[in-house]
Amino acid sequence: MNSNNPQKLRAVLFDVDGTLADTERDGHRPAFNAAFKESGLNWHWDVELYGQLLQVTGGKERLHYFIEKHKPSIPKGLDINNLVPALHQAKTKHYVSMLQLGKIPLRPGVARLLQQLRNEKIIIAIATTTTPENVTALLRSTLGEDAPDWFDIIGAGDIVPEKKPAPDIYHWVLEQLGLPGHQCIAVEDSENGLKSARAANIPTLITVNDYTIQHNFEGASLVLSDLGEPAQPFTVQAGIKPEKGWVDVGMLRNLLNEKP
Ligand code: XBP
Ligand code: MG
């Protein structure tokens, strides 16, 4: 297949946190805080501190990093190796409840683009560090009960040894799909996500959010405020300004064809 063949685009691989939805500040963060409180800990992650902690992907890994770096008080007799998984389990329960209550909407353009990709029979998949049940709860609460089945593969959480920025999760998803990276596009929101996708040779579209707008997105195909809607166009942060103000399948195909 040559690079001008529109069929070159075989699959779009979506990150979840920060990309499908703004889950971090008002989702994962308060869920962690609820878990701390429930466990009798006086820890609290405010918006700014959480922004710093986000450099470490994965909730359990983030907890370990916080304990090592910030040395919060830990009640005597508590073993960190038991505490971290217990806190993470409690946090997941709080987070999933928030999703089930419909508290976290999808970002602009996400539902529209997913629908168009399905209509055009382009494979959609997920590549995320978050816990699998967080992904299915988000998809169900925003797109309907059957939405997880729309995705050929959902690559999530501890299924691979190293989380982003390592390419493991993208390699795993590509292997499951039987596709090379250059026939896919990754949609990401962060520098860690971009590094992960690019290390798996996948051209990457970035939609930024408040926590990631200052990240280094060198190597991205295009950096946008969001996926945009006809009534609410995106703004371009970096890259060649597309003709339209909303991402559609034609634009994704163009993006891929610009990459060798
Ligand atoms: C997302 C994450 C996740 C969430 C929490 O990174 O780092 O850890 O913050 O999820 P990315 P869990 O969007 O790059 O995949 O607590 O379930 O790990
Ligand atoms: Mg992300």
Side-chain angles (χ1 to χ4, degrees):
M1 262 180 210
N2 77 41
S3 63
N4 292 324
N5 188 330
Q7 294 312 318
K8 191 180 165 194
L9 177 63
R10 299 287 310 283
V12 181
L13 317 184
F14 289 88
D15 169 49
V16 174
D17 293 307
T19 299
L20 293 186
D22 256 324
T23 52
E24 297 290 8
R25 196 190 70 177
D26 300 324
H28 290 292
R29 186 186 67 87
F32 276 114
N33 285 331
F36 300 154
K37 202 168 171 191
E38 198 176 67
S39 309
L41 298 168
N42 64 356
W43 309 356
H44 181 80
W45 290 357
D46 64 25
V47 172
E48 199 194 327
L49 171 61
Y50 193 65
Q52 293 163 27
L53 299 175
L54 278 176
Q55 63 185 277
V56 177
T57 62
K60 293 186 287 292
E61 292 80 354
R62 189 167 301 138
L63 283 163
H64 277 294
Y65 172 77
F66 171 71
I67 291 165
E68 271 159 41
K69 182 145 191 255
H70 293 264
K71 308 215 177 326
S73 60
I74 298 175
K76 274 205 183 85
L78 271 185
D79 175 358
I80 289 176
N81 292 322
N82 298 329
L83 179 63
V84 166
L87 282 174
H88 191 254
Q89 214 174 19
K91 173 259 170 180
T92 300
K93 190 191 70 193
H94 287 291
Y95 179 68
V96 167
S97 306
M98 289 170 76
L99 291 169
Q100 287 168 344
L101 290 171
K103 298 213 168 177
I104 304 182
L106 294 177
R107 295 191 64 193
V110 170
R112 175 189 53 74
L113 182 60
L114 289 173
Q115 207 56 63
Q116 195 190 4
L117 289 162
R118 294 182 71 214
N119 292 344
E120 303 221 6
K121 308 261 183 295
I122 292 172
I123 291 166
I124 52 178
I126 296 283
T128 177
T129 67
T130 208
T131 301
E133 57 201 282
N134 298 346
V135 182
T136 42
L138 176 71
L139 296 175
R140 288 202 170 109
S141 69
T142 54
L143 294 164
E145 267 309 298
D146 66 331
D149 303 333
W150 300 359
F151 295 81
D152 274 47
I153 297 292
I154 295 183
D158 298 325
I159 200 158
V160 288
E162 291 285 324
K163 292 188 173 159
K164 300 172 187 177
D168 300 24
I169 193 68
Y170 279 106
H171 281 148
W172 186 86
V173 170
L174 290 175
E175 201 182 308
Q176 302 296 310
L177 294 173
L179 289 174
H182 68 267
Q183 290 190 331
C184 304
I185 285 189
V187 186
E188 276 284 356
D189 70 304
S190 70
E191 192 173 338
N192 280 330
L194 174 65
K195 281 186 183 151
S196 173
R198 293 300 297 132
N201 199 28
I202 308 172
T204 306
L205 166 67
I206 299 289
T207 54
V208 298
N209 55 60
D210 286 351
Y211 273 135
T212 66
I213 193 158
Q214 303 295 344
H215 285 190
N216 178 358
F217 290 122
E218 213 180 307
S221 301
L222 187 61
V223 183
L224 303 173
S225 55
D226 50 72
L227 293 173
E229 292 284 15
Q232 188 193 341
F234 56 62
T235 55
V236 179
Q237 316 285 313
I240 299 163
K241 191 168 188 279
E243 275 170 30
K244 286 180 191 163
W246 60 97
V247 176
D248 61 9
V249 172
M251 193 182 294
L252 294 180
R253 286 193 165 122
N254 284 341
L255 271 188
L256 211 55
N257 291 337
E258 281 165 17
K259 295 271 139 194

